[in-house]
Amino acid sequence: MTRDIAKVPSPFSGLSVKIIAAIALVILFVEVAVFLPSLANYRVGWLEDRLRVGGVAVRVFDTAPDVMDLPTEITDPLLQAAGAIAIVYRREGQTDLIGLEAVTMPEQPHLADLRDTNPMRLIVEALDTLALGGQRTLRIVGVPPGAGDAVVEILMPESPLRADLLTYAGNIVLVSIVIAGVTAFVIYILAESLLIGPIKRLTNQMLAFRENPENGTLVIVPDAARKDEIGILERALADTQAELFAMLRQRRHLADLGMAVSKINHDLRNMLTSAQLLSDQVANLDDPQVQRLAPRLVTTLDKAIAFAQTVLDYGRQQAAPPRAEPVDLRALGFEAALPAGLTGHPRIRFENQVADDSVILVDPDHLARVLTNLFKNAREALEASPDIAAPHVRFSHERTGEGVRLVIADNGPGMPPRARENLFVAFEGSARAGGTGLGLAIVRELVEANGGRVELFDTEQGTAFAIDLPSGAAGGG
């Protein structure tokens, strides 16, 4: 099965572009959040300037005995200075109106009440002026400085305010874009040197090492001066690649060695088989000395053939993934006891204490091989100790909080200390002379392949192995 090899991203889809785009968007978002109140404040300041001019005009009008009798030569310049078409002021129940002589008063002007300082309303009105303020007449209402309690209203076109707002908004947008771009570029340069650059280098080196993991020159050389997370990552990755490089070389050597051993064992088994046939013929001779030595010769050849066959079986073992299915645990125990030599044994009793309705979800072939190996080991240990009274092998199971536990126990002599040190190591974990230790190594591999674990635990007499399978194997029994 082929796998798609990861490639370095293009310049427009890499981490650099994403970071600089994200920074620019965040800065623009902040600028927008600042821009709206700033726009509202500019509009309020603009209206207050007009209101102050209107307040000056009111104070001038107050000096006249009768405002209505003032000539247009005096009122029109004051109104034009305020940009107004009319000024209305009210105090002590009195209302006065001064307007341009040639202008018709609008019927429904748009109200801008400066006495209401609600921030959200000011922002909404600023946006409303930008969108709809081109043809409307504005009615500014407020209390100018120095006017006491007099309320001044100024009627004026809204278009000058909208034009100034548009100019201000354009300048703010332009400045915001420049600030966002410059800030994003500066942050990008810093991030490129401190973060993105090292990440790119690590990515390229990892991809190169993935293509050829047996090339030792592709192992990352970490920057010893970096003490931050990138430096820790570089050192950890360098250690991992070095270990992987050494492991691959060792595995390659072991594979070559295993192939040679497999061929040697194959030829050796054939030669031992021929020798066994000859020994059978020799055993039929009438010579007393031959009759005394022949059984030893046959036994030795049987052990040698069994050893060669075990090595070949271990080398041919396939790492097929487990296929879980409902398994009758009690029936599987009896089936595994048969090839293990426990069924019908003249001296050793097999006790299957698993309930009849015990069903678990597991690969039946894997579990059968596991039980057969453990049953066989228990039988051999008991056969090697003929002085044990009532020898037996017990198979049981129990529910646990994490799933199900299977227990295979015997009342034999127990596991010697030498075997405990390398219990599940191939060729080193044998408890008896001449053994290969492959049985327990296979047991561990098969149990771990099904998501479980196997361990030896101490008992008052004999040996007991516990197989813990995960909750998914609990089944319905």
Side-chain angles (χ1 to χ4, degrees):
M1 182 178 63
T2 59
R3 295 183 303 174
D4 293 335
I5 302 299
K7 297 181 179 179
V8 177
S10 65
F12 298 101
S13 63
L15 186 61
S16 311
V17 174
K18 294 178 181 178
I19 288 180
I20 196 170
I23 293 173
L25 289 176
V26 169
I27 294 176
L28 287 176
F29 176 79
V30 173
E31 291 286 351
V32 169
V34 175
F35 166 72
L36 294 178
S38 174
L39 189 68
N41 289 335
Y42 180 84
R43 176 179 177 275
V44 170
W46 194 94
L47 295 176
E48 287 177 345
D49 288 342
R50 300 304 180 273
L51 192 64
R52 279 193 291 269
V53 175
V56 172
V58 168
R59 287 195 292 272
V60 173
F61 297 155
D62 283 342
T63 60
D66 188 356
V67 176
M68 302 303 295
D69 294 336
L70 288 174
T72 57
E73 291 82 0
I74 297 177
T75 60
D76 284 358
L78 289 174
L79 291 173
Q80 292 172 356
I85 59 177
I87 297 177
V88 179
Y89 63 101
R90 298 185 178 89
R91 64 180 177 179
E92 299 177 356
Q94 179 181 354
T95 301
D96 292 315
L97 170 65
I98 301 297
L100 292 175
E101 183 177 9
V103 176
T104 303
M105 296 298 175
E107 294 182 357
Q108 293 184 344
H110 180 70
L111 177 62
D113 193 346
L114 296 180
R115 295 169 297 180
D116 186 356
T117 58
N118 182 278
M120 292 304 300
R121 187 189 67 81
L122 295 178
I123 291 175
V124 171
E125 288 189 353
L127 295 176
D128 178 72
T129 298
L130 284 177
L132 305 173
Q135 304 296 327
R136 296 184 306 196
T137 299
L138 196 62
R139 177 190 172 198
I140 307 172
V141 179
V143 179
D149 59 350
V151 177
V152 177
E153 298 182 10
I154 299 178
L155 296 178
M156 61 176 297
E158 195 175 7
S159 55
L161 172 60
R162 181 173 183 270
D164 288 349
L165 273 182
L166 287 174
T167 302
Y168 176 79
N171 292 335
I172 291 295
V173 170
L174 180 61
V175 172
S176 299
I177 293 176
V178 173
I179 292 175
V182 172
T183 305
F185 180 74
V186 173
I187 295 177
Y188 167 74
I189 294 299
L190 294 176
E192 177 72 25
S193 61
L194 297 177
L195 181 64
I196 301 175
I199 290 178
K200 285 181 178 179
R201 182 171 62 87
L202 285 175
T203 301
N204 293 330
Q205 290 175 334
M206 289 174 64
L207 291 176
F209 183 80
R210 180 183 178 181
E211 291 286 345
N212 188 7
E214 295 186 8
N215 186 349
T217 62
L218 298 178
V219 175
I220 293 175
V221 178
D223 185 358
R226 295 199 68 145
K227 305 300 182 182
D228 56 7
E229 289 80 357
I230 295 294
I232 295 174
L233 176 61
E234 287 181 344
R235 289 187 288 274
L237 188 57
D239 293 341
T240 302
Q241 288 183 335
E243 293 175 1
L244 182 60
F245 170 73
M247 183 182 67
L248 289 176
R249 292 192 65 182
Q250 183 182 20
R251 179 171 294 182
R252 182 178 177 182
H253 294 168
L254 289 176
D256 295 340
L257 181 61
M259 181 65 69
V261 170
S262 178
K263 294 179 179 179
I264 293 172
N265 269 279
H266 183 272
D267 295 336
L268 179 61
R269 186 189 59 175
N270 294 334
M271 290 185 287
L272 290 173
T273 302
S274 301
Q276 186 181 39
L277 294 176
L278 293 176
S279 67
D280 291 339
Q281 297 177 7
V282 171
N284 295 325
L285 298 178
D286 295 333
D287 190 331
Q289 188 174 2
V290 172
Q291 291 293 330
R292 187 177 68 254
L293 297 177
R296 296 182 183 179
L297 177 61
V298 172
T299 301
T300 303
L301 290 173
D302 288 341
K303 290 182 178 180
I305 293 173
F307 181 86
Q309 185 62 47
T310 304
V311 173
L312 288 175
D313 292 341
Y314 183 76
R316 287 197 297 262
Q317 182 183 357
Q318 298 296 324
R323 306 180 68 176
E325 59 183 70
V327 174
D328 185 335
L329 188 57
R330 180 177 175 83
L332 188 64
F334 283 122
E335 293 177 7
L338 182 60
L342 287 177
T343 302
H345 196 281
R347 194 170 67 91
I348 302 174
R349 186 175 73 257
F350 176 61
E351 298 178 5
N352 192 341
Q353 297 182 350
V354 177
D356 289 334
D357 58 348
S358 297
V359 177
I360 64 173
L361 292 174
V362 70
D363 189 303
D365 294 334
H366 287 188
L367 185 57
R369 293 179 62 188
V370 168
L371 295 179
T372 299
N373 279 325
L374 294 178
F375 289 166
K376 180 181 178 182
N377 287 349
R379 174 184 61 79
E380 292 175 348
L382 291 171
E383 289 177 342
S385 303
D387 56 335
I388 295 178
H392 64 266
V393 177
R394 182 179 296 116
F395 177 44
S396 61
H397 95 297
E398 61 180 344
R399 301 289 176 184
T400 64
E402 300 179 353
V404 62
R405 164 169 282 199
L406 312 182
V407 178
I408 297 91
D410 63 67
N411 61 341
M415 190 72 67
R418 183 183 63 83
R420 288 174 177 265
E421 295 176 359
N422 301 290
L423 190 59
F424 299 104
V425 179
F427 302 106
E428 296 187 20
S430 177
R432 57 187 175 84
T436 63
L438 294 177
L440 290 180
I442 294 174
V443 166
R444 185 195 62 180
E445 289 185 0
L446 293 176
V447 171
E448 291 179 351
N450 285 267
R453 65 180 184 274
V454 58
E455 61 180 350
L456 172 73
F457 62 92
D458 295 327
T459 58
E460 294 181 0
Q461 181 182 3
T463 304
F465 285 92
I467 300 172
D468 292 309
L469 296 174
S471 57

